[in-house]
Amino acid sequence: MSGFLGKLSPTKRVPGNNDLPLFYVNQTSMEPQRSPRSTPRVSATLAELLMNVEDARNDQTTTRRALEMASPLTSSSSFNSWTSAPASSVSSSPFVLSFNDLTYSVKIRKKFEPLSYCGRASNDTAVNTKILLNGVSGEAHEGEMMAVLGASGSGKSTLIDALANRIAKDSLRGSITLNGEVLESSMQKVISAYVMQDDLLFPMLTVEETLMFSAEFRLPRSLSKKKKKARVQALIDQLGLRSAAKTVIGDEGHRGVSGGERRRVSIGIDIIHDPIILFLDEPTSGLDSTSAYMVIKVLQRIAQSGSIVIMSIHQPSYRIMGLLDRLIFLSRGNTVYSGSPVHLPQFFQEFQHPIPENENKTEFALDLIRELENSAEGTKALVEFHKQWRAKQAYDNGNRNVNVSLKEAITASISRGKLVSGATNNSSNLKPSFQTFANPFWIEMIVIGKRSILNSRRQPELLGMRLGAVMVTGIILATMFTKLDNSPKGVQERLGFFAFAMSTTFYTCAEAIPVFLQERYIFMRETAYNAYRRSSYVLSQSIISIPSLIFLAGSFAATTFWAVGLGGGASGFLFFFLTILASFWAGSSFVTFLSGVVSNVMLGFTVVVAILAYFLLFSGFFISRDRIPLYWIWFHYLSLVKYPYEGVLQNEFEDPTKCFVRGIQIFDNSPLGQVPNAVKLNLLKSMSGVLGINMTAETCVTTGIDILKQQGITDISKWNCLWITVAWGFFFRVLFYFTLLIGSKNKRR
Amino acid sequence: MSGFLGKLSPTKRVPGNNDLPLFYVNQTSMEPQRSPRSTPRVSATLAELLMNVEDARNDQTTTRRALEMASPLTSSSSFNSWTSAPASSVSSSPFVLSFNDLTYSVKIRKKFEPLSYCGRASNDTAVNTKILLNGVSGEAHEGEMMAVLGASGSGKSTLIDALANRIAKDSLRGSITLNGEVLESSMQKVISAYVMQDDLLFPMLTVEETLMFSAEFRLPRSLSKKKKKARVQALIDQLGLRSAAKTVIGDEGHRGVSGGERRRVSIGIDIIHDPIILFLDEPTSGLDSTSAYMVIKVLQRIAQSGSIVIMSIHQPSYRIMGLLDRLIFLSRGNTVYSGSPVHLPQFFQEFQHPIPENENKTEFALDLIRELENSAEGTKALVEFHKQWRAKQAYDNGNRNVNVSLKEAITASISRGKLVSGATNNSSNLKPSFQTFANPFWIEMIVIGKRSILNSRRQPELLGMRLGAVMVTGIILATMFTKLDNSPKGVQERLGFFAFAMSTTFYTCAEAIPVFLQERYIFMRETAYNAYRRSSYVLSQSIISIPSLIFLAGSFAATTFWAVGLGGGASGFLFFFLTILASFWAGSSFVTFLSGVVSNVMLGFTVVVAILAYFLLFSGFFISRDRIPLYWIWFHYLSLVKYPYEGVLQNEFEDPTKCFVRGIQIFDNSPLGQVPNAVKLNLLKSMSGVLGINMTAETCVTTGIDILKQQGITDISKWNCLWITVAWGFFFRVLFYFTLLIGSKNKRR
């Protein structure tokens, strides 16, 4: 199996383990011929090989790096050791990404999509097919930047997605090869990075912290903390973020770094492992000309450090154009120009549309394409002309062939200091890889938790607002239901208090939806490249939510318990507090789950409010269990509010010595309530005679147990109510985990 | 008082009235000297004068226009008569807008602003002052386009706001004059237009409809419908929107016109009256290069038709630069360059920073300014250099003096077909103007209503979703509370049903918040220039909401009334339906009011849900009126839910012949409920003896009236409950009107 790869193993092989295994990879497909994507061959040899390369490199570079790190002034040279290499070594083993005849079409679906992932095309019989890419070909070289240009809807982002392996294999036709070899998904994840258009960052972390967390997630555990820090510092310099390193990212409510700096941080997060291929979707969108230029300048630096940079770009300025090495102009999925910006004037000259003197070349080209698109004939002539022109160019230049195999190129690249990565995926793998994630489960949990706590602690107003909401309701309830008495009316009011209080705990959880949704996008970006396990995210996020829930539940319980005059003393308070805590836990799990399903804030909030209203309706407060129609009883048991409501009711009414209706009060809720007390006493006396028991004004007619029976609360004990509430919380966390599994697939179909 | 103005009255004066009084103006201040803005002198003579000019023009142009309109093919010549004029006549009476030494500074306020208009600076003792404009001067000429350039935060928008009279007079220092005369606010509204950056348009109207509604709002009523249509058609051609005229604007859910077309529609709305000065805030932001170019091209056409166009622009492309006549570069409120783009290279040459060959001039300038801003010395040297350079230029060229008075210029402009306006404002006016709004109150109402209905009818899914929400709850309630019996438990369940049903009507109104908020922004743009009265908007919007409320209330009442088994027969149903309708009305008024106060959708929704929950808590359902603590009783009467809830309860229980607890049922809610019926009968018999009345198993113990007494529902009759609910609706509409009055002030302080 190790076949031809074995022959290429490096000269030096150290059998023992080492302290810096920078590159773990399990297998890759190594098909030398340029064939359309086929099933990959499994081979673990490359991984071993690369590890050995790593060993070799360590031996020869540690001393050099140690020297560099010793002198704190030469930060640029330290950064050099991580990212850039002498020009001579770059040219010695260049990477070439080729793509040939890429074609991709989608069936047009219906428009209205309230839920986030109904992403699969429905199997309607008569659907239109739209061609997004139509036979697009090209080549990108190491050290160069390639830009994809075109109007919106021309297929720019689709081409980037196709190259970045973000389109399902069976949908995309054509071939994509790196140094002549088809890239496998797991390999692609290790050696490439994809930077999304949106900056999804924790607002309250500093630039340095943000990059450091990325390093902790994505660089292998075996790399020492000191070395991770060095990598982050080098990256900060490379990104030109030195002056902003200690500034928080910021959001609408908090002043932070500028838009251009934020974009560079986003790029930094994704290139922490120093990838060979970097894809970017509109890296300059929304930036002013200077910021945009600086972003592209940073990308150029990255390319020159031995990477291929491929980006889509909307409206490049004159100065940015000067930095780009290769352009592809798309029009409705067709290539209308590909090549160096230098040849653009010649191309349009030959197409009989010369670019006027002094005019911005790309602007002219984009406008001409636009005009052709709007004309009757369309861009057909231009597409055809480009094909001929390109064929001629290829003939003139000869085919610049790659004579370095992928493995050799990677080996050379690693020995120059590239690929600080430990992340690789074992999907579509037949035997277990040695490491899919950089860190073990428990470290991931600690890092995720640390980051989340750091971010929350810097915006205490979020907890403050939730506490405010809980306390306002608590104080209103406490003053409204002050010192309820033990009478038939008092009993009814207790029921109302418990129903309202339990619903409140659930409703206040709904306020956290925007925070969850914001985090979800960060999560989706990070798990797309296996920064951590989904399970450790769910678990860590669950655990760190608990302290604040304890705080909220404690405040609410303390505000209301004694003010309303609830029974049970200290143990009664403890159970009341625990039930409220369990409700907060179940409620926040439920809202977390919903925020995983519904992506729109407003829709999420509406749905939560409606569902909670139905939960309350079916809880047994409005209509007791024994009187709910049989066809609705299932929903009664689904109602999250039922369990804490019944729990606190039992806590309140379980004391058999407590009396809620005494002799004379039996007439309170009847027309006899108005007769004088003397008559009531006579009535009691005569009734005593009939029943054969002695009923006086003080005789207890209704105990708490009787009330529980009347309310139909007989099926579950109070502690079971508590445990069931807690279990609901866990259930929704598990559901949340599955929504993340399904929802965070980020490939197009 | 008419002093020197009288001498300038036109040669021809027709005393009779005419059918095309295109220009109403009451007075203006006419100060020939360039002094800082002082209190305006009142003079009605200009208005008369202009009317006379109008008369004169009518006589000489109606025949020409009639001819043009007769030939449908010559749309361009018809458009000509409205907007463009021969070059010779433009040069004969040019407008010149001069601004001198404009300085504006603000005190920096605190950041967190959840509500939308806490816009006034608080009187903190130690606040920082930030200078937004620092002695900016310049001149803009008729037929030309002036662009204000600079990085974000440089003061571009502030300068546009200052020129467009959108900054309170006492905050802005310096002078702004048109042909040497200080422009008064009412005059400015008539002859100028301000186009905001955002496209705030009704998504389901076509381009033609959108412009036609603008014409109906802003062109004088006396202008015939036919002529308004002609103006709209001419404008469509001028804006290059002919092919998109019949397409709807569109939004996320509906395919509509392109971004560039949308922007041009926004411009069209504001220039429907063919203003002399047009201000635009970033007209090209968010557009691709071709669309941006076409927008600027349209603006050039407008300028050439005899207007001054002044805009801020972020990153003009090379081709757009070629269309601009004058530039002002700002850096942190200071002018760093002002003049023609042609002189830009010479300027920077002399500043010792020559623009490299082939480089985009503006890009270079903006980047240089940025670099200077970030340097230690800042842009001070450049600002100083510009001052000297400008002084020299002025000396070289001589001062291009304006020798045409404002009145003459306006007269000439109107006679060439400009200013199709009837809108002017009477703020700061001592005597009433003849017309503040183009249309009378009732026409405004009809037009607003027509537009709103047209827009809603094209998106029936909005009503469908609300109907769905109401019906789902209706059906759940109907199946949950099916055929309630007349027993103590049944009574309790009835109370629960009514409380839940009444709350639901209020909650479903909350779903309309996003729609209200969207409309609010359109409203604010339109009333900023007196397109219509705020009162007619509020009234029209109220009236047109009623049919859909009737529909929703009918569906809900019909679903639940008979299924639950409510009493009162046909008249009972009618009252139930009317109460639900009143609740919908009050609820939607409440939500409308809140959407006028809270500008954020999410915050608005949270606030509405919380307030409605408290309304329910205090409605009397959870705790009856006689047991609510005294210090909360005021909130009980504020609770919107109280009135419909008490109304329907009385409707249900007012029948004195209906019995809810019969003899034997008296023991239902006590421990005696479990004893055999025979014992119960014996008990009844013995009680009868004591009371001296005969109680059998069938004797009615509790009637509906008794239940109402127990619930404390004795203070207001059922019809009064209904009227009070309706009155709440009106109350919130009036409040809404006042929030609009306060909130839609669009001047900076």
Side-chain angles (χ1 to χ4, degrees), chain B residues 172-441:
Chain B
L172 182 72
R173 281 186 290 137
S175 71
I176 303 169
T177 55
L178 185 63
N179 287 29
E181 289 165 32
V182 173
L183 267 186
E184 219 229 321
S185 180
S186 59
M187 185 67 169
Q188 177 121 15
K189 280 199 182 183
V190 175
I191 63 166
S192 78
Y194 176 87
V195 181
M196 286 193 243
Q197 194 174 335
D198 303 308
D199 300 321
L200 301 167
L201 305 165
F202 278 94
M204 299 314 292
L205 300 185
T206 66
V207 169
E208 195 174 16
E209 285 164 354
T210 305
L211 293 173
M212 193 60 210
F213 279 115
S214 177
E216 289 193 42
F217 284 133
R218 298 191 57 177
L219 298 186
R221 195 186 152 207
S222 46
L223 201 64
S224 73
K225 187 115 184 175
K226 196 176 149 197
K227 278 172 184 158
K228 284 177 186 164
K229 276 186 183 155
R231 169 66 186 149
V232 167
Q233 295 307 322
L235 196 56
I236 286 173
D237 289 323
Q238 191 183 22
L239 297 168
L241 289 170
R242 178 52 63 205
S243 62
K246 305 281 182 195
T247 313
V248 295
I249 303 295
D251 56 14
E252 307 85 46
H254 303 87
R255 198 175 190 83
V257 299
S258 73
E261 288 165 340
R262 197 175 296 189
R263 185 63 43 86
R264 280 178 274 152
V265 175
S266 290
I267 294 170
I269 283 177
D270 282 319
I271 63 165
I272 192 85
H273 60 302
D274 206 1
I276 289 167
I277 317 175
L278 178 57
F279 301 102
L280 303 103
D281 189 17
E282 303 263 3
T284 61
S285 76
L287 299 182
D288 62 66
S289 85
T290 314
S291 305
Y293 178 72
M294 284 172 74
V295 165
I296 304 297
K297 195 81 192 158
V298 159
L299 292 176
Q300 188 186 41
R301 231 185 278 163
I302 292 166
Q304 286 167 352
S305 78
S307 296
I308 302 169
V309 172
I310 301 178
M311 69 185 99
S312 61
I313 193 161
H314 190 69
Q315 218 175 322
S317 70
Y318 181 84
R319 291 200 300 165
I320 286 176
M321 279 304 291
L323 302 179
L324 302 175
D325 303 290
R326 258 155 217 274
L327 305 180
I328 294 188
F329 281 81
L330 293 182
S331 164
R332 296 180 180 165
N334 293 291
T335 319
V336 288
Y337 176 79
S338 69
S340 159
V342 179
H343 299 131
L344 207 55
Q346 190 199 339
F347 176 79
F348 282 103
Q349 181 87 48
E350 290 181 22
F351 185 59
Q352 311 299 332
H353 284 80
I355 304 178
E357 196 66 21
N358 258 328
E359 184 108 359
N360 182 323
K361 288 180 286 180
T362 37
E363 244 178 63
F364 173 85
L366 287 170
D367 288 332
L368 177 65
I369 292 163
R370 181 93 163 207
E371 272 163 41
L372 290 175
E373 280 174 0
N374 292 334
S375 70
E377 295 153 43
T379 51
K380 211 175 163 188
L382 185 58
V383 172
E384 281 310 309
F385 176 76
H386 170 255
K387 274 185 194 151
Q388 292 159 21
W389 192 78
R390 197 160 180 257
K392 204 182 71 183
Q393 292 285 108
Y395 181 81
D396 287 356
N397 298 354
N399 216 343
R400 215 172 126 185
N401 252 323
V402 191
N403 46 18
V404 186
S405 82
L406 178 57
K407 202 155 54 66
E408 283 174 326
I410 292 179
T411 307
S413 185
I414 290 172
S415 71
R416 287 197 318 272
K418 286 292 273 190
L419 279 179
V420 202
S421 172
T424 166
N425 197 336
N426 66 342
S427 64
S428 79
N429 187 5
L430 297 181
K431 57 177 198 168
S433 64
F434 26 115
Q435 223 159 334
T436 302
F437 295 93
N439 295 295
F441 184 77

Side-chain angles (χ1 to χ4, degrees), chain A residues 89-231:
Chain A
S89 73
V90 170
S91 59
S92 71
S93 52
F95 290 101
V96 180
L97 183 78
S98 307
F99 46 98
N100 202 16
D101 209 21
L102 292 182
T103 300
Y104 174 56
S105 57
V106 286
K107 294 188 174 58
I108 289 162
R109 279 174 290 120
K110 276 168 203 151
K111 263 187 167 174
F112 188 64
E113 272 191 324
L115 295 177
S116 64
Y117 30 86
C118 314
R120 283 126 223 153
S122 56
N123 288 327
D124 289 9
T125 42
V127 278
N128 289 325
T129 301
K130 196 183 172 187
I131 295 172
L132 296 183
L133 291 179
N134 190 7
V136 178
S137 305
E139 242 180 41
H141 291 258
E142 180 183 330
E144 291 186 352
M145 287 199 287
M146 172 187 267
V148 186
L149 294 100
S152 28
S154 60
K156 290 195 301 289
S157 299
T158 313
L159 178 58
I160 301 281
D161 280 352
L163 296 176
N165 192 22
R166 287 163 59 88
I167 294 180
K169 279 186 184 173
D170 23 314
S171 306
L172 182 72
R173 282 187 290 138
S175 72
I176 303 168
T177 56
L178 184 63
N179 288 28
E181 289 165 33
V182 173
L183 267 186
E184 219 229 322
S185 182
S186 59
M187 185 67 168
Q188 176 121 16
K189 281 198 182 185
V190 175
I191 63 166
S192 77
Y194 176 86
V195 181
M196 286 193 242
Q197 194 175 337
D198 303 308
D199 300 321
L200 301 168
L201 305 165
F202 278 96
M204 298 314 292
L205 300 185
T206 66
V207 169
E208 195 173 18
E209 285 164 354
T210 305
L211 293 173
M212 193 61 209
F213 278 115
S214 176
E216 289 194 43
F217 284 131
R218 298 192 55 176
L219 298 187
R221 192 186 152 207
S222 47
L223 200 65
S224 73
K225 186 116 185 173
K226 195 178 150 196
K227 277 171 184 158
K228 284 179 187 163
K229 275 186 183 156
R231 168 66 186 149

